[in-house]
Amino acid sequence: MQIVRAQGALMRSFRMTGVLVFFLGAAAMAQAPTYQPVGTVRQIMLGIVKPTSDIIFKVAGEAPKDEKEWAEVQNSALTLAETGNLLLLPGRAKDNGEWRKNAKALIAAGSLAFKAANAKDANALSDIGDKIDETCEGCHAIYLPKPPQSWPW
């Protein structure tokens, strides 16, 4: 009799665990973030990546002179790093291979630039600018459509 009761209690326990797992799974799915991309990848590149990277590249020729200029570099570096995350969102990521690798490299380079800008290290920003440029060029070599070549005449 005790064995039968123990088996019954065990079965109820399994059922309760199953119900709990079901509800927790449903709650997790209900809380999953939804993304609503607004711009295209091209618009992100022209509207965010280019202007923010240009500000970082400019530091190599002329270091920021005051807090306001350093804040602009810091904000640009942060924006550039976070843009890598935008490029990984569903609907924007072209693949899980080179695209993902390049987006993560943009995040890493932007993060380094953000740290260097916070430290007000213009020399480091100059070196990091080269890494940003290499990252962009590597991605463009694969994903940026090439215009058709016209005849030289």
Side-chain angles (χ1 to χ4, degrees):
M1 183 76 166
Q2 285 183 329
I3 294 175
V4 171
R5 260 189 272 177
Q7 287 176 337
L10 185 60
M11 292 304 292
R12 281 191 300 279
S13 177
F14 282 143
R15 278 191 295 240
M16 290 302 290
T17 301
V19 169
L20 181 62
V21 168
F22 173 78
F23 282 115
L24 288 175
M29 287 176 33
Q31 293 175 2
T34 58
Y35 304 102
Q36 297 177 341
V38 176
T40 65
V41 169
R42 179 174 171 74
Q43 290 168 323
I44 289 171
M45 294 298 169
L46 295 175
I48 301 173
V49 174
K50 184 174 182 345
T52 57
S53 61
D54 284 348
I55 290 168
I56 295 166
F57 296 151
K58 189 172 114 180
V59 174
E62 184 179 345
K65 296 177 191 73
D66 56 31
E67 289 301 315
K68 183 179 176 186
E69 289 182 7
W70 276 111
E72 182 181 30
V73 175
Q74 292 164 349
N75 291 335
S76 294
L78 177 62
T79 302
L80 188 65
E82 291 294 351
T83 300
N85 288 313
L86 292 176
L87 297 172
L88 290 171
L89 288 176
R92 288 202 183 113
K94 305 294 181 190
D95 58 53
N96 284 324
E98 289 299 311
W99 184 270
R100 183 176 236 27
K101 180 180 130 192
N102 284 301
K104 287 187 174 205
L106 183 61
I107 295 166
S111 296
L112 287 174
F114 183 60
K115 288 177 187 171
N118 286 332
K120 298 181 177 141
D121 187 344
N123 291 328
L125 280 163
S126 179
D127 293 339
I128 295 164
D130 292 340
K131 289 181 183 179
I132 292 168
D133 187 53
E134 289 170 17
T135 298
C136 292
E137 291 301 320
C139 189
H140 294 172
I142 300 168
Y143 298 101
L144 185 65
K146 306 282 188 264
Q149 297 296 319
S150 59
W151 291 97
W153 73 110

